[in-house]
Amino acid sequence: MNLNLLRCYIVVAEELHFGRAARRLNILPSSLSRNINLLEQELGLRLLSRTTRDVALTQSGHSLALEAKSLLEYSAEVTDRVRSSATSKERVFRIGAMDSAATGLIPQLIHDFRELEPELELRLLEEKSAKLLPKLLSGALDVAIISQPIWPLADIEFEFLLNQHIIVALPTNHPLAEYDTLRVDDLADVPLILPSPRSRPHSHNLTIQLFQDASLQPRIVQQAEEKQTIINMVGAEIGAAIVPYWASRNVVQGVVFRPLVNNSGKPVEELPLAAAWIKGTHDVFRDKLMGLIKNNLERYSN
């Protein structure tokens, strides 16, 4: 039985609402519905009674909801016991990182972790936060460095690391490039390139919220998914973009970066970065990784 599908089912059984359950799991309602259909097909049972307004558990659905939690708890216990007995030679440790963290935080962290555990095989997956969370839930990752979601998610533990500084990417010849710092008011009439709200909700909502707080309407001329694509579009003079500080480490010809500050002149810090893992699991290598981050966070972030 697919454990990831069971996790999805438990949340639906608790919420009895696909929209709320999808938010807790940080996936689209359509993806959640597909997962429940796959579980029903695997079992050959109707687990939910669904109408346009209501979701209810069938008798089989009630039985599965009771048994599934015990099954997942037992699976976690077995995983913990096996991992606790594994040596570094036997273990493959899998780290997920959103792109800005992969650019800024991860390189030095991986260097130090390899010195601490030279025999441990490390695998790095760079992806959007929205795509890393399902991989974490499925057991494909041991830890992920991501944008911390607004809503708590079932089965995932988050540990806040830092708030990323926000900067503005501008074409080199843009008049605002002459300024040392910028405020949101300075961007009132500037064409902007925004991340897609579906693939990068945190970054997209950040720009929208900054303008709303300033009682302004952003002038959006283009959307794109990848931060590197957005920076390249800035270099092509399509518009400016509000991005995390670490994006400035990707040198692109024709692009300059300026800090975004508030009306008091202090840097804007609006993107919380967190480490995430499956709640209730124990992992000696993850503990060592988190110890490195905590002891060296200032150095890594600089």
Side-chain angles (χ1 to χ4, degrees):
M1 193 179 300
N2 188 306
L3 297 183
N4 186 42
L5 298 184
L6 278 181
R7 291 189 183 94
C8 291
Y9 175 72
I10 288 174
V11 178
V12 173
E14 291 174 349
E15 294 290 346
L16 295 179
H17 189 282
F18 272 77
R20 290 195 299 269
R23 284 196 295 271
R24 280 182 59 183
L25 292 163
N26 204 43
I27 61 176
L28 295 173
S30 58
S31 298
L32 178 58
S33 181
R34 184 167 59 251
N35 287 345
I36 298 303
N37 287 336
L38 288 173
L39 182 62
E40 289 181 325
Q41 291 173 22
E42 182 180 339
L43 295 174
L45 296 169
R46 180 67 65 187
L47 302 173
L48 301 173
S49 173
R50 285 177 268 187
T51 68
T52 55
R53 292 186 176 182
D54 299 310
V55 176
L57 303 183
T58 64
Q59 183 174 340
S60 297
H62 277 290
S63 299
L64 181 62
L66 293 173
E67 298 290 345
K69 290 184 180 180
S70 298
L71 180 59
L72 290 175
E73 289 172 359
Y74 177 70
S75 173
E77 290 172 3
V78 171
T79 301
D80 284 348
R81 287 198 297 269
V82 172
R83 284 181 173 174
S84 296
S85 64
T87 67
S88 57
K89 286 184 178 181
E90 300 169 329
R91 184 71 187 278
V92 177
F93 190 79
R94 304 151 303 172
I95 304 172
M98 59 179 286
D99 49 9
S100 60
T103 301
L105 177 70
I106 291 297
Q108 190 61 49
L109 173 61
I110 294 293
H111 172 272
D112 292 351
F113 198 33
R114 285 192 177 280
E115 288 195 339
L116 185 66
E117 291 290 342
E119 295 182 331
L120 182 68
E121 182 180 345
L122 297 178
R123 293 183 185 173
L124 176 65
L125 175 64
E126 301 171 50
E127 260 293 3
K128 307 174 187 70
S129 295
K131 290 189 176 182
L132 290 174
L133 283 168
K135 293 183 185 299
L136 196 64
L137 281 169
S138 70
L141 293 172
D142 297 300
V143 66
I145 310 298
I146 60 171
S147 293
Q148 185 162 350
I150 298 174
W151 296 284
L153 302 181
D155 298 325
I156 296 185
E157 186 81 29
F158 292 96
E159 183 159 330
F160 171 78
L161 300 177
L162 54 83
N163 281 312
Q164 300 176 78
H165 285 196
I166 307 304
I167 58 176
V168 182
L170 295 161
T172 304
N173 60 359
H174 196 282
L176 291 178
E178 299 179 2
Y179 291 75
D180 293 329
T181 61
L182 295 173
R183 293 178 171 82
V184 175
D185 291 350
D186 298 323
L187 305 175
D189 297 317
V190 176
L192 292 175
I193 306 165
L194 261 65
S196 163
R198 174 170 289 188
S199 62
R200 295 185 181 276
H202 300 89
S203 297
H204 179 274
N205 295 342
L206 165 68
T207 299
I208 300 300
Q209 190 62 52
L210 286 172
F211 275 78
Q212 287 180 350
D213 291 345
S215 300
L216 296 171
Q217 185 71 27
R219 183 184 165 195
I220 303 169
V221 296
Q222 183 64 53
Q223 290 188 0
E225 288 199 10
E226 303 299 334
K227 284 193 177 72
Q228 190 60 48
T229 302
I230 291 173
I231 300 300
N232 288 335
M233 286 183 174
V234 173
E237 301 184 0
I238 294 172
I242 294 175
V243 295
Y245 164 74
W246 280 325
S248 64
R249 296 188 179 181
N250 296 317
V251 179
V252 175
Q253 186 174 0
V255 179
V256 295
F257 298 93
R258 296 292 179 263
L260 188 67
V261 299
N262 58 26
N263 290 331
S264 300
K266 295 182 178 180
V268 175
E269 299 177 339
E270 296 287 348
L271 283 176
L273 193 70
W277 56 86
I278 296 295
K279 191 175 294 183
T281 57
H282 304 283
D283 190 328
V284 63
F285 296 111
R286 186 187 69 216
D287 292 344
K288 289 182 179 181
L289 182 80
M290 291 306 301
L292 273 177
I293 294 176
K294 292 175 184 177
N295 293 331
N296 298 280
L297 188 56
E298 184 175 354
R299 176 166 62 91
Y300 294 160
S301 62
N302 289 333

